[in-house]
Amino acid sequence: MIKYMKTLKDKCQTGSFEKLLALDNAEVCKFVSKYAELCNPDSIFVSNDSKEDSTYIRNRAVELGEEKRLGVKGQTYHFDGINDQGRDPGKTQYLLPRGVTLGSDIQSMNRKKGLDEMFHLMKNSMRSKQMYVGFFCLGPCDSEFSILAAQITDSAYVLHSEDILVRDGYEQFKKAKKKDFFKFVHSAGVIENDVSRNYPNKRIYIDLKENTVYSANTQYAGNTVGLKKLAMRLAIQKASSENWLTEHMFIMGAHGPNSRTTYFCGSFPSACGKTSTCMLEGETIVGDDIAYLRKINGKIRAVNVEQGIFGIIKDVNAKDDPSIYEALVTPGEVIFSNILVTEDNMPWWIGKNDNTPLKGINYSGQWHTGKTNDQNIEITPSHTNARYTIRLSSLKNKDPKADDANGVEIKGVIYGGRDSDTSVPVEQAFDWNHGILTKAATLESETTSATLGQEGVRKFNLMANIDFLSIPMGRYIMNNINFVEGIENPPPVFFVNYFLKDKHGKFLTGMKDKHVWLKWMELRIHKDVGAIKTPTGYMPKYDDLKPLFRDILGREYKKEDYITQFTVRIPENLAKIERISKIYHKVPDAPDILFKALAEQEKRLKQVEEKYGEYISPEKLIG
Ligand code: GTP
Ligand code: SPV
Ligand code: MN
C-alpha cells in the first residue's frame, strides 16, 4: 500500500477511511495524509455530510467544551479568547515565492519562510486530539459558479460552523473528481480553559501558489472558518485569472411597484450594514457577505457563496430586525459566539432588550456590571463583535432564488462605508466607471470591532475588500472596470452612507432610513424618479423621498432634515480626493483613468464651490 494511504488507514476512525476512498481522488488523500502526518492527531474523522455525521460533529463540539448548550433546544454558545475576538490582519500574511509581489499595501512574506514557520507551529499540534475533515461547495452546487473546498481542523466548532454556513460538498467531490480544490488547514493549538493558549503564536498564512490557507493558535471564526474569508482570498485570485469577480457583497431582492423584484449587490466594510440592509422587512435575502459575479449571456449574475449567516448580534432586536430576532429566539440550530450567558442559561447581547443582566458568563469568564480588563477598560456584557451562526433556511425572508445555480441578475450595485462627515446618505454615480473609480475605489471607512485594533479610525478600504485582496490593487480596479465589457446596460452604481453625523457626533439618519434609500435606488434603476446632478453624482429630490418616508416608515420627512443630510460638503470631498490621490500615488499599478476621474471630480467640486460656497443645499443645484 502507498505510504500515504497507510497513514490514512491507520489514523482514520471506523468508516472514515472508506469515506475518503469513495471520493476516488488521490489529491484529497494526499492532502489529508500530509497533515495527519504533520499534526499527528489521535484519529481522523471524515464527514460525508450525512445527518449522522453532522450530528456527530455537533455533539463533539459540546463534548470538547468548544460549545455549550443553552436553555433553548438546538442552541449553543462558543467563546473565543479575550485576545481573539475579531479578524487579526496583523497576524495574516500572503506567502509569496521570491520575486512575486502584491504591492506594499498587502501584507506578505517569503513563502518558504512562512511555510517553515507554519509547519513548525503545526507539528504535533493535534496530538491527543481528533482531526476533522469536511468537504464543501462554495456557491450553489452543480453550477458554473461552484468551487470545491476541503477543510482540515482540530476544532469541531469550526466544522460545525461550516456545516451551517456552507453548502455540502462531499457528493460534489464524488462527482467531479477534481484535482483543483481550495484547501484549509486549521489547528487551535493547545487548549486551556477552552481557548487557544498560544495566541501570541496566532498565524494565518495564505499560500496562493497551492490554494491553501493555514491558521494556527486561533479560534475566532473569521480566522479559522476557512470557507469564509480565507476562501474569499483564494477566490479573488482565481476570479482575477478567469475574468469574473469575488466581492465582499450582500445580494438581495428589493421589491418594487407592480410586484417586481430588483436584485442588488452591495459592498460595505465589515460591520457597516450589509446584513442590516439585506434583512430589511419586506425585502428578500440571497446572501449577506460574499458574492461571486459572472457575465452570463450579456447579463451580470451573482450567487451567494454561502448558505448561512455569521452575523453581528449587537442591536438585533424584535423591533429593528424581526426576522433574525425570531430565528434567534426560536428552538433550532444556532451557535452564539461571545455573547453573555445569563444565570438562567439564556443568551443575552447588547441591544437585545432593556433588561441588561447584572451578571453572567462571557468570554472573560464570570462577568458582573463594571468588570474591567487588565487595562482598566470596562468589559461590556457581550462583545461588540459577538455573532450568531444560522442557516438562511431558518429565515422567513430567504429569497426563492437564493440557491439558483444560475444566480440572480444584478440590476444595481451599492457601495457604502462608515463615513461621519463627507458623503450623503445615498447617491448614484454618473455611470459604471465613475462609480467604480470615485465611489468604490475611494471607499474609506471608520474601523470597527470586526478586526482587532483601534476602532473609529478612518481607513482607506478599496471596494470594502482591502482586507482580503490577493491581487495588486490596480489590477483589481481594472478587473472591475472591464467587467462590464459586453454588457449592454451596466447596472447603476450607488453609494450609501448610514453613518453621517452632526457636529455633536449624533447620527443624522435613523436605523430604518436605509429602507427609503433602497426603495429610491430601486425606482432609479427603472427610471421611475428623477434626480439632481451634483459634482459627485445624482442625488434624490426631496419630493421623491417625502412619499417614500411616509409609505415605508410612516413618518413625515422634514425638508430641513433633507437639506442637512444631502448638503454637498465641498471641503470634505476635496480633502478626501487629496487623501486618496496620495494613497494611489504609492500604488505601482494604479491606473491612469483613476487619477483622471479624481481630477475631474475635483474640478466639478471647485466649480460649484465658486458659484455657491462650501456647503451647498442640493436644491440649489436643480438644473
Ligand atoms: P460583517 O458581517 O462584519 O461583514 O458586517 P455587516 O456589513 O453585515 O454589518 P451589519 O449589517 O451586521 O452591521 C453592523 C453594525 O452596524 C451593527 O452594530 C448595527 O447596529 C450598525 N448599523 C447598521 N445599520 C445602521 C444604521 O443605519 N445606522 C447606524 N447608526 N448603525 C447601523
Ligand atoms: C467580516 O469581518 O467581514 C465578517 C466576519 O463578515 S468574519 O468571518 O470575521 O470575516
Ligand atoms: Mn464580512
Side-chain angles (χ1 to χ4, degrees):
M1 188 185 271
I2 317 171
K3 185 171 169 263
Y4 66 81
M5 294 307 278
K6 183 167 178 343
T7 309
L8 293 177
K9 195 155 197 265
D10 291 348
K11 291 264 183 196
C12 275
Q13 63 184 65
T14 315
S16 283
F17 184 61
E18 289 69 24
K19 287 183 212 159
L20 283 178
L21 279 186
L23 293 178
D24 190 16
N25 191 327
E27 192 63 24
V28 168
C29 290
K30 281 186 208 163
F31 170 60
V32 178
S33 70
K34 177 173 174 180
Y35 294 99
E37 276 167 21
L38 179 72
C39 306
N40 196 16
D42 277 3
S43 66
I44 302 172
F45 172 80
V46 177
S47 168
N48 68 359
D49 300 334
S50 60
K51 227 175 159 215
E52 199 186 339
D53 285 2
S54 299
T55 308
Y56 177 82
I57 289 291
R58 220 167 45 230
N59 290 341
R60 283 303 286 156
V62 174
E63 283 158 24
L64 291 165
E66 291 186 272
E67 291 176 35
K68 294 190 173 65
R69 292 193 212 281
L70 284 161
V72 180
K73 196 166 183 300
Q75 299 192 346
T76 55
Y77 66 92
H78 162 85
F79 290 145
D80 296 298
I82 203 156
N83 299 297
D84 201 16
Q85 294 285 318
R87 280 186 292 107
D88 198 339
K91 300 282 174 66
T92 309
Q93 306 261 3
Y94 286 99
L95 306 182
L96 300 176
R98 202 183 288 270
V100 178
T101 55
L102 289 178
S104 54
D105 280 78
I106 302 175
Q107 283 209 113
S108 63
M109 69 186 289
N110 176 271
R111 179 168 181 268
K112 169 137 193 351
K113 196 170 155 227
L115 287 179
D116 285 350
E117 184 190 358
M118 186 49 80
F119 291 163
H120 178 72
L121 290 174
M122 292 257 176
K123 181 117 189 108
N124 293 322
S125 62
M126 298 186 188
R127 198 156 30 199
S128 67
K129 292 196 205 175
Q130 230 176 337
M131 175 190 266
Y132 305 99
V133 184
F135 298 95
F136 300 93
C137 180
L138 298 163
C141 297
D142 299 313
S143 146
E144 100 178 69
F145 289 92
S146 315
I147 296 177
L148 301 187
Q151 172 86 54
I152 290 175
T153 175
D154 57 8
S155 161
Y157 159 70
V158 166
L159 211 64
H160 181 200
S161 300
E162 288 176 331
D163 185 45
I164 296 175
L165 291 173
V166 195
R167 295 177 179 96
D168 293 344
Y170 183 82
E171 291 302 322
Q172 297 282 302
F173 265 81
K174 230 179 180 175
K175 268 196 225 169
K177 299 193 171 62
K178 273 199 208 157
K179 274 174 85 175
D180 60 326
F181 53 91
F182 289 175
K183 304 180 178 92
F184 303 94
V185 186
H186 163 249
S187 171
V190 178
I191 299 290
E192 195 173 78
N193 298 328
D194 298 329
V195 300
S196 293
R197 188 176 72 189
N198 296 330
Y199 66 85
N201 284 330
K202 182 197 303 182
R203 299 286 184 274
I204 301 108
Y205 285 172
I206 306 110
D207 179 9
L208 293 174
K209 191 160 172 249
E210 298 283 340
N211 272 333
T212 306
V213 184
Y214 304 90
S215 151
N217 297 313
T218 169
Q219 291 165 304
Y220 173 69
N223 301 325
T224 60
V225 168
L227 280 290
K228 205 167 167 67
K229 292 307 201 304
L230 306 179
M232 183 174 166
R233 295 164 178 276
L234 301 179
I236 289 173
Q237 176 187 250
K238 187 172 164 65
S240 175
S241 67
E242 296 173 357
N243 204 13
W244 50 278
L245 298 175
T246 297
E247 300 296 328
H248 192 197
M249 281 179 169
F250 69 73
I251 307 170
M252 72 182 298
H255 297 261
N258 307 319
S259 316
R260 72 184 174 212
T261 306
T262 308
Y263 289 99
F264 283 89
C265 50
S267 194
F268 314 167
S270 305
C272 292
K274 285 187 299 302
T275 312
S276 323
T277 303
C278 55
M279 292 303 299
L280 284 166
E281 224 179 328
E283 317 302 345
T284 47
I285 175 172
V286 175
D288 83 316
D289 199 40
I290 309 172
Y292 294 158
L293 291 85
R294 284 181 182 262
K295 281 187 281 195
I296 301 175
N297 299 331
K299 312 258 192 247
I300 296 181
R301 303 194 71 93
V303 296
N304 180 11
V305 173
E306 312 172 271
Q307 63 162 11
I309 305 185
F310 177 56
I312 296 174
I313 202 163
K314 179 170 173 269
D315 293 333
V316 171
N317 58 57
K319 190 172 125 273
D320 295 325
D321 294 285
S323 330
I324 298 181
Y325 188 81
E326 200 188 321
L328 298 185
V329 296
T330 310
E333 200 172 353
V334 183
I335 311 174
F336 294 86
S337 57
N338 306 318
I339 42 111
L340 181 84
V341 181
T342 61
E343 288 184 296
D344 51 356
N345 202 31
M346 295 296 279
W348 194 87
W349 56 89
I350 307 168
K352 180 181 185 183
N353 50 39
D354 292 332
N355 316 322
T356 312
L358 299 175
K359 52 185 169 174
I361 303 169
N362 71 7
Y363 65 93
S364 74
Q366 284 292 339
W367 175 90
H368 55 84
T369 316
K371 182 176 179 183
T372 53
N373 65 14
D374 52 12
Q375 282 136 54
N376 225 14
I377 296 166
E378 193 164 331
I379 298 174
T380 52
S382 60
H383 194 275
T384 45
N385 191 34
R387 293 190 179 240
Y388 58 87
T389 301
I390 52 167
R391 285 191 180 82
L392 280 178
S393 54
S394 40
L395 297 175
K396 293 208 170 94
N397 52 328
K398 179 177 171 180
D399 189 90
K401 292 190 179 159
D403 295 306
D404 201 311
N406 297 313
V408 294
E409 185 190 339
I410 297 300
K411 294 274 183 66
V413 178
I414 310 172
Y415 288 90
R418 216 171 255 266
D419 166 7
S420 54
D421 63 6
T422 308
S423 312
V424 295
V426 60
E427 71 177 336
Q428 181 187 348
F430 299 131
D431 54 32
W432 180 264
N433 280 13
H434 179 249
I436 296 298
L437 297 170
T438 72
K439 308 256 171 268
T442 64
L443 206 148
E444 293 177 299
S445 195
E446 286 137 35
T447 49
T448 66
S449 62
T451 51
L452 303 188
Q454 206 186 337
E455 278 179 53
V457 185
R458 176 153 49 203
K459 261 197 172 161
F460 168 64
N461 192 338
L462 173 57
M463 295 189 205
N465 214 359
I466 197 142
D467 281 2
F468 315 108
L469 275 197
S470 51
I471 56 173
M473 292 202 266
R475 187 191 309 165
Y476 176 58
I477 294 170
M478 288 316 294
N479 287 348
N480 272 269
I481 290 287
N482 296 333
F483 187 60
V484 294
E485 256 172 34
I487 303 283
E488 213 171 293
N489 280 315
V493 179
F494 299 92
F495 193 86
V496 294
N497 177 17
Y498 306 155
F499 301 94
L500 201 55
K501 287 179 180 171
D502 66 12
K503 279 197 277 313
H504 313 288
K506 197 174 149 278
F507 287 115
L508 281 174
T509 50
M511 269 300 221
K512 293 222 160 173
D513 295 6
K514 56 168 81 67
H515 212 160
V516 172
W517 319 143
L518 178 77
K519 294 290 200 194
W520 179 80
M521 293 186 271
E522 202 277 335
L523 295 173
R524 274 299 285 170
I525 288 172
H526 296 279
K527 302 197 169 61
D528 290 345
V529 284
I532 304 169
K533 191 167 186 185
T534 81
T536 54
Y538 297 114
M539 278 189 205
K541 292 179 177 166
Y542 173 70
D543 289 342
D544 292 324
L545 294 179
K546 191 178 155 72
L548 289 173
F549 266 91
R550 201 185 43 230
D551 294 351
I552 303 162
L553 304 179
R555 75 174 161 88
E556 202 55 38
Y557 186 44
K558 290 201 208 108
K559 182 75 160 267
E560 64 214 66
D561 288 342
Y562 165 75
I563 290 176
T564 316
Q565 294 165 4
F566 286 89
T567 284
V568 183
R569 297 156 174 86
I570 304 278
E572 286 81 358
N573 271 288
L574 288 174
K576 176 179 168 122
I577 293 177
E578 204 182 318
R579 280 193 304 273
I580 298 294
S581 303
K582 252 193 204 150
I583 292 171
Y584 279 112
H585 276 120
K586 289 193 208 135
V587 173
D589 67 338
D592 286 344
I593 54 166
L594 172 70
F595 294 110
K596 194 159 162 261
L598 293 179
E600 283 167 3
Q601 184 123 318
E602 185 181 355
K603 196 167 143 207
R604 283 192 298 270
L605 285 161
K606 285 185 172 161
Q607 271 168 355
V608 301
E609 183 182 29
E610 243 168 59
K611 207 158 162 200
Y612 300 108
E614 291 188 324
Y615 295 93
I616 306 164
S617 155
E619 303 222 313
K620 287 217 172 111
L621 300 173
I622 294 179

